Amino acid sequence: MNNMLNDKKIINQKVIKQSNRKKILNLIAQKREYTKQNISQKIGVSIPTVISNINELIQEGLVEEAGVAGSTGGRKPIIVRFLPNSKYSFGIEFTLSNVRIILVNLDGKIKFDNTFKVESFKNIDDIIDKIHKIIGSVLIEKKINHKDILGIGFSLPGTVNEEKLTLELAPNIGVRNVDFSRFSQMLEFPIYIENEANSAAFGEVSLGIAKKMRNLVYLSINEGIGAGVVIQDRIYKGKNKRAGEMGHMTIVPNGKPCNCGRRGCLEQYASKSSLMKEYNSKSLKPVNTLKEFFSRVEQKENIAILELEKYIDFLAIGIQNIVLIIDPHYVILGGEMSDFSEYYLKALKEKVFVENSFYDDTSLKIFTSKLKKDSSILGAALLPMQNVFSINGEII
């Protein structure tokens, strides 16, 4: 019994020490430069505790002493400075036909960015080998030591089990049951994986538009529609880690067939591909890109305007359902459609906030992603940093 109590006491002491360390590091990262006395006062821990933790952070190269501040009497307080370029991580994003790789520092600033085309994701070992070679060349070029890389985060377009490091199903890129844990040795760094919409939501909460009010739904609108749900600073994943499949809510009973096996799903009416497919089925001059489509809207072409109006109607229904279910602070629109929000956002808000008994435009905000195309890959790159900054699993 005494041994159990002692073990529990040791565990609690370790948890408290780790929590104090992360609070101190987060505070210095936020302030950039701060004195030890100010740190002690701000987070409510003793000066010796601050000094002990600062010494460890200095040894790891995360902070440095940067002179002394002005004194109001007595010893001049020592300033501690955050070093954002002391550690890095890689973010890797799989899309329909590309792999993108970025290197970021502790501020989430992109220091390297490269994209290569992929004909098929079924040759996953070849893709990982190419990623490995690119990472190796980046470290040589940037003169970064292996020990200063925290890990590699993957943003993947499908259902993932981040604990088992398994991509369970990714119909858009034609793969399933891919075990990423077996790539750790090849890539030489810890690996983290996340669904692309969850990863984008993580990026927005950490670096984007949603840093103050932290309950949100991020809608990734591309070929399909995915969603990342953040509740009280945590990504909500559900019992089977399938939460956020908002693209597969039924909005038209017995409607268009969906590749999920059901009918009338939101993404069959409000995705990028559904908009272009509907337009091309009616136009004598089909388009290949959203840019081409919205140029037709700008030219006030009737077919384009009518199809956009129908699209907005369906997207508004989906967002209304999400708002009633989740009651978020924000709905953030991401993916390729967010690049063209000037053509539809005002009309979308008018349709979402139609008079009702539950909410109005003061209840929540609808924004487009601040990070745009970078939201998902930045979120992935931040995953390895959670071990350094996150307290009790909260998004920092």
Side-chain angles (χ1 to χ4, degrees), residues 25-84:
L25 181 58
N26 280 311
L27 183 59
I28 301 170
Q30 179 188 352
K31 300 291 186 179
R32 313 313 285 178
E33 292 184 355
Y34 220 37
T35 68
K36 295 175 183 178
Q37 286 83 347
N38 285 338
I39 294 168
S40 173
Q41 292 167 5
K42 188 74 175 179
I43 65 175
V45 298
S46 68
I47 288 287
T49 297
V50 171
I51 292 172
S52 173
N53 280 279
I54 293 292
N55 288 340
E56 289 182 10
L57 293 172
I58 289 172
Q59 286 181 350
E60 292 178 37
L62 293 166
V63 302
E64 67 179 4
E65 291 186 348
V68 293
S71 175
T72 57
R75 284 176 119 184
K76 290 184 178 181
I78 296 173
I79 296 170
V80 181
R81 177 188 295 147
F82 179 60
L83 298 175

Side-chain angles (χ1 to χ4, degrees), residues 46-234:
S46 68
I47 288 287
T49 297
V50 171
I51 292 172
S52 173
N53 280 279
I54 293 292
N55 288 340
E56 289 182 10
L57 293 172
I58 289 172
Q59 286 181 350
E60 292 178 37
L62 293 166
V63 302
E64 67 179 4
E65 291 186 348
V68 293
S71 175
T72 57
R75 284 176 119 184
K76 290 184 178 181
I78 296 173
I79 296 170
V80 181
R81 177 188 295 147
F82 179 60
L83 298 175
N85 292 316
S86 59
K87 302 290 179 184
Y88 302 86
S89 66
F90 284 96
I92 298 175
E93 181 179 46
F94 286 11
T95 58
L96 279 184
S97 57
N98 295 312
V99 171
R100 184 181 173 198
I101 304 172
I102 65 171
L103 174 76
V104 304
N105 68 3
L106 293 176
D107 282 337
K109 301 295 184 186
I110 296 175
K111 300 295 184 176
F112 169 85
D113 194 340
N114 182 60
T115 301
F116 64 86
K117 287 202 168 292
V118 174
E119 291 185 8
S120 170
F121 281 89
K122 292 180 180 177
N123 299 319
I124 190 74
D125 288 69
D126 293 340
I127 293 169
I128 298 297
D129 183 58
K130 185 165 185 176
I131 290 169
H132 177 236
K133 289 175 180 174
I134 291 172
I135 287 174
S137 67
V138 172
L139 297 184
I140 293 171
E141 177 191 334
K142 301 289 184 182
K143 297 179 180 177
I144 297 173
N145 195 302
H146 270 63
K147 70 179 179 60
D148 293 326
I149 300 296
L150 298 172
I152 303 171
F154 284 83
S155 166
L156 303 171
T159 304
V160 306
N161 186 317
E162 79 281 1
E163 293 167 359
K164 295 181 179 179
L165 291 177
T166 304
L167 174 59
E168 295 178 344
L169 177 63
N172 287 339
I173 61 173
V175 297
R176 65 191 307 156
N177 296 325
V178 179
D179 179 10
F180 274 77
S181 66
R182 66 189 182 88
F183 301 133
S184 288
Q185 189 170 359
M186 182 192 298
L187 292 174
E188 303 178 71
F189 298 109
I191 287 177
Y192 305 78
I193 68 172
E194 188 54 271
N195 162 268
E196 60 96 11
N198 283 342
S199 183
F202 183 35
E204 286 291 342
V205 171
S206 302
L207 300 172
I209 205 164
K211 293 185 74 173
K212 291 187 178 177
M213 296 182 182
R214 311 290 285 266
N215 295 334
L216 68 89
V217 176
Y218 177 95
L219 279 181
S220 175
I221 308 176
N222 294 300
E223 283 76 15
I225 296 179
V229 180
V230 177
I231 298 174
Q232 294 183 349
D233 289 333
R234 288 175 171 81

